[in-house]
Amino acid sequence: MTAPESAALPPGDAGRLLTVSSLSVALKPGAAPIIAGLDLAIEAGETVALIGPSGAGKTTLLRALGGQIRPSAGAIVFNGAPLSTLSGRRLRETRRLIGFVAQKHDLVEPLRVHRNVMAGALGRWSDLRALRYMFWATASELAEARRALDAVGLAEKLKEPTSALSGGEQQRVAIARALVQAPRLLLADEPVASLDPTTAAEVLDLLTRLCREHDMALVCSLHQPDLAQRFFGRILELQGGRLVRDGAGATPPSAHDPGRA
Ligand SMILES: Nc1ncnc2c1ncn2[C@@H]1O[C@H](COP(=O)(O)OP(=O)(O)OP(=O)(O)O)[C@@H](O)[C@H]1O
Ligand SMILES: [Mg+2]
């Protein structure tokens, strides 16, 4: 067995969930970087809003943090593993600990709600179990889906077709799926952009509360600074691929939010 790659980390990084050092991302070799020399550290349970104008690089940064695109320079260390250089099985295993909630949810609408929720478990199931689940869900699988749906206030929708739910309810199903995945880091790219203001506030309240309760770190891009201020422990602002602000939000911090009273 090879030595754990975390053994090579600087000692200060040992307990940190995510450390980003001098990160640059260019989508083509030689092109101007979209993210330029960014440094960032995030602890478990922190709720971080990512704001900034259109084109600032929010989606690009989230995709790099999720291991979906490789940095052109710098390093991303997630949960002790050098995410930016992993490939193959190690990359897949590490990405299992990173959840994603998209702007327009990526649920399969014709499926019943519990099947979309339990898609969060596919990364830890064998192919055979996943195939069997397509046709027949066990009582314990349904119970797990119901628990996750209960956490987002939708237990009664367990067996509804997903297409029969409202936009806000569907976004909550996507959050329930992330709970089943039980990631250590949840990335959300404008998860409330297509919702009305009241529903958007409800979804952000739920998302940030569940992340605190489950000790998941959350990085969530948003276009509304007021919502960022209201619901998040920390606010990052990107402009032109650089961090121009890193400050506290109004929400009481989790036990892990560093240095915030
Ligand atoms: N696939 C791509 N090919 C070329 N350029 C891209 C690609 N994706 C993004 N870009 C460019 O990278 C820059 C940052 O884009 P990104 O989508 O990260 O911004 P954003 O902050 O998420 O914007 P928005 O708020 O509109 O979602 C933009 O100038 C964009 O045009
Ligand atoms: Mg974007």
Side-chain angles (χ1 to χ4, degrees):
M1 211 169 114
T2 52
E5 281 161 349
S6 55
L9 298 177
D13 284 351
R16 198 166 271 162
L17 185 65
L18 182 74
T19 307
V20 175
S21 324
S22 307
L23 178 73
S24 291
V25 179
L27 293 178
K28 287 189 198 117
I34 292 168
I35 301 296
L38 188 141
D39 293 302
L40 178 65
I42 293 178
E43 310 284 337
E46 267 196 286
T47 55
V48 180
L50 184 61
I51 62 171
S54 189
K58 302 181 294 297
T59 297
T60 305
L61 176 59
L62 289 173
R63 292 182 64 212
L65 297 184
Q68 294 165 25
I69 43 177
R70 213 176 261 281
S72 35
I76 302 173
V77 176
F78 168 71
N79 202 35
L83 182 67
S84 37
T85 57
L86 293 179
S87 59
R89 186 173 57 85
R90 289 286 317 273
L91 178 62
R92 283 196 300 281
E93 284 171 2
T94 303
R95 281 173 58 172
R96 238 179 249 170
L97 300 175
I98 303 174
F100 203 89
V101 175
Q103 168 179 347
K104 177 82 178 77
H105 65 75
D106 49 0
L107 306 173
V108 184
E109 295 211 15
L111 292 184
R112 293 188 193 283
V113 167
H114 69 87
R115 294 198 188 278
N116 273 303
V117 171
M118 292 311 289
L122 291 182
R124 60 182 143 92
W125 284 358
S126 66
D127 290 348
L128 202 60
R129 183 172 178 185
L131 188 65
R132 191 263 299 144
Y133 183 76
M134 287 305 293
F135 299 98
W136 179 65
T138 64
S140 73
E141 286 159 355
L142 283 175
E144 186 178 357
R146 189 186 296 277
R147 274 196 302 280
L149 283 167
D150 201 28
V152 301
L154 289 177
E156 79 284 3
K157 304 287 188 189
L158 184 76
K159 295 191 177 175
E160 294 281 316
T162 307
S163 55
L165 273 56
S166 72
E169 287 170 340
Q170 291 183 345
Q171 204 54 292
R172 280 148 66 195
V173 171
I175 295 171
R177 181 183 56 187
L179 286 179
V180 165
Q181 185 187 343
R184 304 222 42 221
L185 171 65
L186 187 57
L187 303 172
D189 194 9
E190 299 194 38
V192 299
S194 52
L195 304 179
D196 66 80
T198 306
T199 312
E202 282 170 11
V203 167
L204 285 182
D205 179 46
L206 182 70
L207 191 56
T208 50
R209 194 159 37 77
L210 289 173
C211 282
R212 289 188 178 93
E213 285 170 13
H214 293 258
D215 212 25
M216 289 189 274
L218 170 67
V219 183
C220 173
S221 72
L222 283 176
H223 270 287
Q224 304 93 326
D226 55 321
L227 292 179
Q229 187 65 29
R230 190 165 146 205
F231 291 108
F232 290 80
R234 180 175 174 191
I235 301 174
L236 302 177
E237 183 173 347
L238 262 188
Q239 274 182 27
R242 293 175 194 277
L243 273 185
V244 295
R245 172 182 167 200
D246 181 355
T251 302
S254 80
H256 294 278
D257 282 347
R260 294 180 184 89

